[in-house]
Structure formats: structure tokens, C-alpha cells
Amino acid sequence: MTETLTPQSIPDLRAGIDRGEIDPVTLVRGALARIAETEDRIQAFAAVFADEALAVAQSQHEAGVPAGTLTGIPLVVKDIYDVGGHRTGNGSPGTPERIADADAEAVRRLREAGAIILGKATTHEYAYGVNTPPTRNPWSTDRIPGGSSGGTAAAIAAGVVTAGLGTDTGGSIRIPAALCGVAGHKPTYGMVSRRGVSALSSTLDHTGPLGRSVADVVALLQVIAGHDPADPFSSTAPVGDLRAEFGRGLAGLTIGVAQTYFCDRLEPDVAAAFESAVRTLETAGAVIRSVEFPDAALSSDVVKVVCGVEAAAWHDAQTGTDQTRFGADVVEALAAGRAYRGVEYLAALRARDAVIAGMDVMFGQGIDLLVSPTIPMTAPPFGATELLFGGAPTPILWAVNALTVPANVTGMPALTVPADFGFDGLPIGLQFMGRPGADATVLGAGHAFEALAGIVDTPLPL
């Protein structure tokens, strides 16, 4: 029996389990072996549940592999999700020593579908950043994996697991996915429950999956999506079949390209890769249209204020935390959030309305999707705090998330898939965005492009 999770997709692995060619115990042992091979260099895990995962796999094997779309598949979850019986560490020494008494709702749904929770992946402290120390990028360990879901992306890129869960407030699923050369989807706002997940910004937070491929992303999303009456931010909109457009290809889709804001501050290798990706889309039958996204440029300032205020409010309501032990970047961000006045928060909400209106204007120009690079540059050096962005020194957070924040401000679905490699050999991502609720269209287009790009399963450098 094979002991590797890759390069097979979750549906292929699941079919192999049903045929008796693979078994859950072998898959878990293979994942643990891969952790042993890579963890010293990558440091993607906050905790590994080896004994527990093996016990679940053994019970599934002995039961004859009960039916479930994820039965036997080892997965990781970001360490801001509650996993019953384990500490939610939030990537912070200031987190209280509490053990979660129940799974977060998304984790519960994964388990109900048969998934095996292999461990907790690292996160930037309280999900408030894009570095995710101490985790390193599997493509080059002198680079960051991105964040804040950096551990999940790194574990997937390193071949430990096929998929896992992250969160996204300003790009924290898509940023590490793009920088680590994997897929990641920020669903429409409210599509996936946030119950049992530490908050950053209640009106910007999204929970969602990362995966080796779009098929792996959808395998998780189809399970975890759907209304949760115990989550006040949960949408009641029906989810439907998220694979519904997997077979349609790109022909007939009208795809917008917004040069202003999304394409005018790119590093040369990212610009070249994006131009090549657009040509690929057009060759495959998509109609490419130049569009404007009015007021998209307000997005970063909206997120700075709204996230800052809401994060400060959430943290100040917590008990047992020791904020004196938080990292300097998070301390500074929370202090800035407390310093905003009520009128500034209300002005940011009005600016958010303007960005949403701009999105509506853009989609009113007759496009099905908007496409852009995911990140303006390849993975920055480990330890970097500032980057040149558009020719100006910029804090790393706001340089890296510039192209991802509009999807958080508007709540629209956004997917990143690997598109190419930069001059430095590091991955470059392509971002697909759609109207709120158009997740199936976004995922279908990403799936079609992914097959044409042929980047999935490119081996890591030795």
C-alpha cells in the first residue's frame, strides 16, 4: 500500500480507500513520517495528535471504513480553531492554558465526514499578521510562508497533508496559499461557521479551506459550508453543489482585469506571470475585459480601522490572556485599534459601503469574474518587516495583503491557485473573485485554469 498523500486528490484517495488500495492507518503513518522528515526545517505544527490520529484511523479501518466523504483523510487545522481536548494556542505565549471542551463547528463537521485531525498548524499570533513565525516556506526556508494561516499552507506544500483549515480577515488563507504554491479559498462571507474560532474582526473574518488543489479545497468546503444557527454571522443562503461548474471549463466566461489598483504595483516577475495567465484564460475561451473597480483603493484603510477596532474590542473582552506577552506587532496593532475614535470607525464603515458599491458597479459591467495576481511579489525574506511596494517602503502586512483585502471588505468569494514561478523560483498565485454567492463559478474557473497551468505537483527543490 502507498504511504503518500500526494500527488493524489482527496476524491482519489477516498476512492482508493474504498477499493482497499489505501487504508487510513497507512495514510496517518505516512503523514507522521513526513512530519518527521520536514518539521525541523519547516516548523508548520503547533501540536501533533499522533496517538489520537492513529487510534481514529485504526477504528475506521477495523469498522470497514464507514461511509464519509473524508473518511480516512488526515487534515490539519489552524491553531485558532478549537479542537476538543486540546489547547487553542493562537500562536501566542499570552494565551491562557485552557483546554477546549468541544470542537469548533467546522472541525466538528470535518470529523462527522470522517476526517482525521492530525494536529494544529501554526498561525501568526492571534491571526494578526502575514509572517507566521517560526514557520518557514517549504520552497525556500529563508522565506516566510505567509500568514496568518502559514502553518496550514506550509504543511500542505511540504506534503504532510492534502488539505486543512485556515481563516481569512485580510487575505490570511490566500496569502500563504499563494506564497507556498497551493490553493486556498475564502468563501462568501458567512458561508462557513466561525463558532469555536478565535476572532480577529467580526465583520471581516472568514473561515475556509486550503488544499493541494482546487478539488481538495472543495472536498473540505462542501462539508463545512452551510448555516449554523449558533453563529450570529452565519449566512442562511443555500450552499448548493460547489462542484457544479467543475466541468464547464473557461469558454463563455467573461473575466475582468482591473489594471488600476490590482496590476499597477507588481514586481516584474509577477506582472509577467499574470499576463501569461490572462493569455491562458483567453486561449481557453474566456472573454477578457478591462474593467474598473471603483473605490477598491479604500480597502486597506477600511481594514486597518475596522479590524483594528474590532480586534481591540474582542481582546479586551477576553479573560485570562496576558497581553504583556504578545508580540510587538500585535501590541502595536491593538493599541492603534483602541486609539481610533468612534467617528473614524463610522467613516471606515461608510468607506466600506463605497467599496461594496464599487464591486457592484464592476460586476454590472457584464463580467462573471475578476482575476488578479494574489500577491504583488513572491515570498518575502524571513524576518522582513518592511517591503518596497509600488516604489515606497511599506509595512509587510499592507504590502502583502494589498490585492486580497477587497474581497474581505466586500465579502465576495476569492480563490488563489498556483499560476507560475518567479525569477527566484518561488510560487506565484492567481486570484479569482466573484459576486457574493458565486463560489461555484469561482471554484470551477480556478479548477479549469489549474489544469491548464500544470503547476500542481511540481516537486519542491531538494
Side-chain angles (χ1 to χ4, degrees), residues 12 36 68 75 77 86 94 113 121 142 154 174 192 196 202 208 234 253 364 367 385 444:
D12 289 341
L75 303 173
V77 300
H86 298 279
D142 64 347
R174 291 159 289 153
V192 180
S202 60
S234 179
L253 286 174
I367 63 169
T385 59

Side-chain angles (χ1 to χ4, degrees), residues 416-432:
T416 182
V417 296
D420 208 336
F421 296 94
F423 300 151
D424 51 14
L426 298 177
I428 293 171
L430 182 68
Q431 179 174 219
F432 292 87

Side-chain angles (χ1 to χ4, degrees), residues 35-257:
I35 290 174
E37 293 171 3
T38 62
E39 187 62 9
D40 284 349
R41 292 181 295 109
I42 306 302
Q43 300 182 67
F45 282 84
V48 178
F49 310 147
D51 292 342
E52 182 180 308
L54 283 168
V56 173
Q58 184 63 42
S59 67
Q60 290 181 348
H61 180 63
E62 292 174 356
V65 188
T69 57
L70 299 175
T71 297
I73 308 298
L75 303 173
V76 298
V77 300
K78 183 177 182 177
D79 193 23
I80 66 170
Y81 284 79
D82 286 347
V83 174
H86 298 279
R87 179 173 177 264
T88 305
N90 297 297
S92 176
T95 299
E97 295 291 332
R98 293 199 193 108
I99 303 299
D101 58 8
D103 289 336
E105 176 62 11
V107 176
R108 186 195 69 77
R109 294 186 188 196
L110 290 180
R111 288 200 206 263
E112 189 174 57
I116 300 171
I117 307 302
L118 186 70
K120 291 285 203 81
T122 54
T123 175
H124 197 107
E125 187 173 38
Y126 278 99
Y128 214 162
V130 296
N131 299 74
T132 316
T135 307
R136 305 299 183 109
N137 193 311
W139 286 90
S140 181
T141 55
D142 64 347
R143 304 298 183 100
I144 65 168
S148 59
S149 308
T152 302
I156 295 165
V160 175
V161 292
T162 303
L165 295 183
T167 60
D168 194 312
T169 303
S172 286
I173 286 172
R174 291 159 289 153
I175 291 167
L179 298 184
C180 290
V182 300
H185 185 64
K186 183 201 76 62
T188 296
Y189 182 78
M191 176 180 277
V192 180
S193 174
R194 294 173 4 211
R195 180 159 52 103
V197 182
S198 298
L200 179 55
S201 175
S202 60
T203 66
L204 295 169
D205 288 347
H206 299 67
T207 40
L210 297 85
R212 167 194 148 274
S213 69
V214 180
D216 300 309
V217 164
V218 174
L220 268 61
L221 186 59
Q222 195 72 64
V223 166
I224 62 177
H227 180 58
D228 174 11
D231 174 4
F233 303 100
S234 179
S235 171
T236 58
V239 173
D241 180 4
L242 295 171
R243 300 179 186 83
E245 300 193 33
F246 262 35
R248 69 159 293 168
L250 294 159
L253 286 174
T254 301
I255 297 179
V257 174

